[in-house]
Structures are given as structure tokens and as C-alpha cells.
Amino acid sequence: MTVPPGSTIGIVGGGQLGRMLATAAAQLGYRCHIYAPDPGCVAAEVAAEFTQGAFDDEGALTRFGAEIQVATYEFENIATGPLAALAELVPLYPPVAALQVAQDRLEEKRFIQRHGGRPAPFAPVDDRAGLDAALAAIGTPGILKTRRFGYDGKGQARIDAPGEADAAWAAVRGAPSVLEGLVRFEAEFSILLCRSGEDRVATWAAPCNRHEGGILVESRVPAPPPLAAAIAEGETLARRVAEALDYVGVMAMEFFAVEGAAIFNEMAPRVHNSGHWTIEGARTSQFENHIRAICGLPLGATELTAPRVEMRNLVGAEADGWQEILADPAAHLHLYGKGDARPGRKMGHVTRLLG
Ligand code: AMP
């Protein structure tokens, strides 16, 4: 089904991803209607309409559904029940099934294994005794991660020795979790894929990503040649998973590269921070292709627009350096319009096209 330009796209979630989606949608002649709890959210600022509502308020989501022609989401911590009710009213992409998989780290890893992917060694942890059992099975060092509601390194605790188990259990507040073995990776990369309803799949060059404290700091394309085999494996997995989920829209999968293998870390059923470079660095950005896919339009070309592209996140006070960044005429500055530059908060990013 084609949702023609002039229609209204509903976006559940009001962060910077929604802001960049709404900007791309406007360029194609769509109106966006943002649904989020915070009336001051940065996506609403650039959208035609805004509804304030809690993510689990099925009644409010249903009323929102009556005002839009197609829906998407830019935020993963949404109860899937109310979202499924919205999907009864209007087409909702990516499918709720993809969100269900990605919301639970344990289910996600098992799902990936069923599709031939290789996560880091892991064991479920449901209680404190379960953590001891998982440590005995996986060993140290490891990372304890909550099954749900983690992002940007939140809900995680590293365990270097069994004696640190109590502190780690306190750090995750006793929530159902997964213990992962620490992966000694050569690099991290992500696969960015967009699938349209007609079963067309576009991928972008896989960025090589660097994280600090669990937060993405930098993405670079193309990835160094030694990562080619791991990237090919990751892309095969991402395509298989997209097919299995009958996926529509942009999907990101994060991997660790280890001796030519792609060790699965996590997937995101949405546009992704490691794809922000595509705004200037690819012929069609992840945001535009996501909008094209959910509206049933043909996908745009995804080749690089420069030999090399680098994207750096502006985290916390780094965004205060905007004048210095703009002094470099080659820098493409994006600021998300967030007022309060709290430490660890993603305030913007800067992309450079390099020769
Ligand atoms: P996550 O939120 O799970 O994507 O974790 C954020 C970042 O922490 C990752 O991108 C890695 O840099 C690091 N990390 C997470 N899990 C592991 C692991 N099992 N082994 C090594 N590093 C990890």
C-alpha cells in the first residue's frame, strides 16, 4: 500500500531520532504527528502536530491512530500491547514482532541463535543465586545486563571477579538479567538495513563504531578491510532476520568483530545512531529510506557520497563547542535542541566527508 505525500505519519517517541525522521518526511511532503509524554520534546518542535500521552495509554494511542495514515516508532521502551492496538487501526512499521524480540535481551539472543547468529556466551539470571550459577558457567570478566529497558550502557554492570557479584546485582536492582562473557573484540561495527514492503532491501556501508562508557562516540565508513569477512557474515544474518520478521523500515544490528567472525551484540528495530552519517554521507539517508519504506515508496540509493565519512556524537557539554565545530567549513553540525546538556546525554552530532 502506498501512503502518498501529503499524508500524516505518526511517530511514537519524541527524541532526536523522531526529529530527524520528521525532517526527512517533511522533505518528501509528508506531515508528521509526534506522540510522546513530554510536550517539550525535540521531535515535536519540527513536526506538524503533537499529542501528549503516555506510551502505555491505549486510549490516547487509539485516538492518535485516528489522525494518522501510517505509524512508526523511534523509541524501544514501549509496551507492545497498546502499540498492537494502534497497529489494528493503521499500518505500523517496523512490525510489533520485531520490537518484541529487541525488547528482551534474552529472547533476542535466542532468536538470533535460531537464525544462525552467534551472540557472546550468555546465561539468564533471574535471582541472586542465578547470578552465581551464571558466573560459574560463563566465567569472568562478564557484563550483567538487564533483560529490558537498558540503553546507552544503562542497566549494565561489569563483573571482573566473582567477588563483585553482589555489587553488580545491586547495580541492576535485582531485575531479570543476562550475564554475557566479555568479548575481546578487534572492532565494533553495525549493519544498517532498510527493507520495503515489496521485499526490496537496501544496505549502507557498515560503519565501524567506537563506544565509551556504553555510549557511541564515533562511527566511520568504510570499515577497515580486515573487517570484510565479519561484515559479510553480519549482513547475511541481518537480511535473514529482516526476512523472517517480514520487516519494513530501517533495522540496525550491532556486532563485535572477532577473528573474522561477527559476534552479535544487539539489534534495534529503528533508525540508529550509527547511521546518522548517512544524512550527508550517503545518497539517501537512513531517515529518508525509513520514511520511504513505511510509506510504500521505492527506496533511494545508499552509496557513499565521499571516499570516507566520519560521524562524532556530541555528548553532554561537548555540544557547547558548536562555534569551533562550525569554524571548519567541512563539518556538518546537527544539534538536537535539547536544553539541558547533562553528562552522557546525546546533544547532537557532527559529520565530516573526507577525501
Ligand atoms: P550495549 O548497550 O549492550 O550495546 O553495550 C554498549 C557497549 O558496551 C557495546 O557497544 C560495547 O562497546 C560494550 N559491550 C557490551 N557488551 C559487551 C560484551 N559482551 N563484551 C565486550 N564489550 C561489550
Side-chain angles (χ1 to χ4, degrees):
M1 190 188 77
T2 301
V3 178
S7 307
T8 302
I9 299 170
I11 301 177
V12 181
Q16 65 266 19
L17 301 177
R19 182 179 173 102
M20 290 183 269
L21 280 169
T23 306
Q27 187 186 318
L28 287 169
Y30 291 97
R31 304 172 74 254
C32 283
H33 188 152
I34 307 294
Y35 180 100
D38 172 15
C41 69
V42 299
E45 227 169 57
V46 302
E49 283 181 66
F50 173 71
T51 292
Q52 181 178 11
F55 291 129
D56 58 359
D57 185 341
E58 195 168 314
L61 272 170
T62 305
R63 287 190 293 281
F64 169 67
E67 296 180 29
I68 59 179
Q69 277 77 55
V70 60
T72 189
Y73 50 89
E74 60 95 70
F75 179 69
E76 272 163 81
N77 294 333
I78 310 172
T80 50
L83 212 54
L86 177 62
E88 301 273 307
L89 299 172
V90 284
L92 175 102
Y93 304 116
V96 175
L99 185 62
Q100 265 159 346
V101 168
Q103 275 183 341
D104 183 331
R105 284 190 192 274
L106 183 60
E107 290 309 320
E108 182 183 56
K109 289 177 197 301
R110 289 174 171 159
F111 175 87
I112 287 299
Q113 283 182 320
R114 286 199 297 277
H115 289 86
R118 303 190 261 186
F122 67 94
V125 176
D126 294 323
D127 49 34
R128 180 62 188 82
L131 178 53
D132 287 339
L135 281 167
I138 304 291
T140 53
I143 303 184
L144 186 65
K145 301 180 180 181
T146 56
R147 284 173 63 168
R148 293 176 165 272
F149 304 127
Y151 69 98
D152 284 352
K154 293 188 174 67
Q156 299 192 5
R158 184 170 160 152
I159 305 179
D160 282 309
E164 294 170 12
D166 278 333
W169 188 239
V172 300
R173 298 166 194 248
S177 295
V178 183
L179 180 70
E180 283 180 29
L182 189 80
V183 179
R184 311 260 180 220
F185 54 79
E186 284 118 46
E188 291 188 76
F189 66 92
S190 46
I191 299 296
L192 304 164
L193 168 156
C194 185
R195 185 170 182 272
S196 76
E198 286 85 55
D199 200 15
R200 295 257 156 68
V201 176
T203 56
W204 286 264
C208 190
N209 304 319
R210 197 163 59 78
H211 293 79
E212 275 172 23
I215 299 179
L216 181 69
V217 173
E218 189 180 68
S219 294
R220 289 167 179 264
V221 285
L227 296 190
I231 288 172
E233 181 186 334
E235 186 171 325
T236 301
L237 176 65
R239 284 177 180 268
R240 202 180 297 141
V241 164
E243 181 83 18
L245 290 168
D246 201 12
Y247 199 90
V248 174
V250 168
M251 181 178 86
M253 258 191 203
E254 293 185 81
F255 293 94
F256 304 117
V258 182
E259 292 171 6
I263 304 301
F264 172 86
N265 179 20
E266 61 181 1
M267 65 176 270
R270 52 167 170 78
V271 285
H272 194 255
N273 193 170
S274 67
H276 289 3
W277 62 270
T278 60
I279 296 176
E280 295 88 7
R283 295 204 185 279
T284 312
S285 75
Q286 62 165 349
F287 301 101
E288 179 172 339
N289 263 349
H290 185 80
I291 297 295
R292 288 180 181 228
I294 67 170
C295 291
L297 309 184
L299 301 182
T302 53
E303 288 82 14
L304 298 183
T305 57
R308 290 183 302 130
V309 186
E310 121 190 343
M311 187 283 313
R312 277 191 72 84
N313 268 340
L314 300 172
V315 180
E318 282 170 358
D320 296 342
W322 58 269
Q323 275 174 312
E324 230 168 277
I325 293 166
L326 286 175
D328 172 3
H332 294 278
L333 177 66
H334 296 253
L335 293 174
Y336 306 147
K338 296 181 183 176
D340 184 11
R342 289 193 296 276
R345 195 172 192 208
K346 291 173 179 169
M347 303 298 291
H349 72 265
V350 53
T351 300
R352 289 187 173 84
L353 309 186
L354 307 167

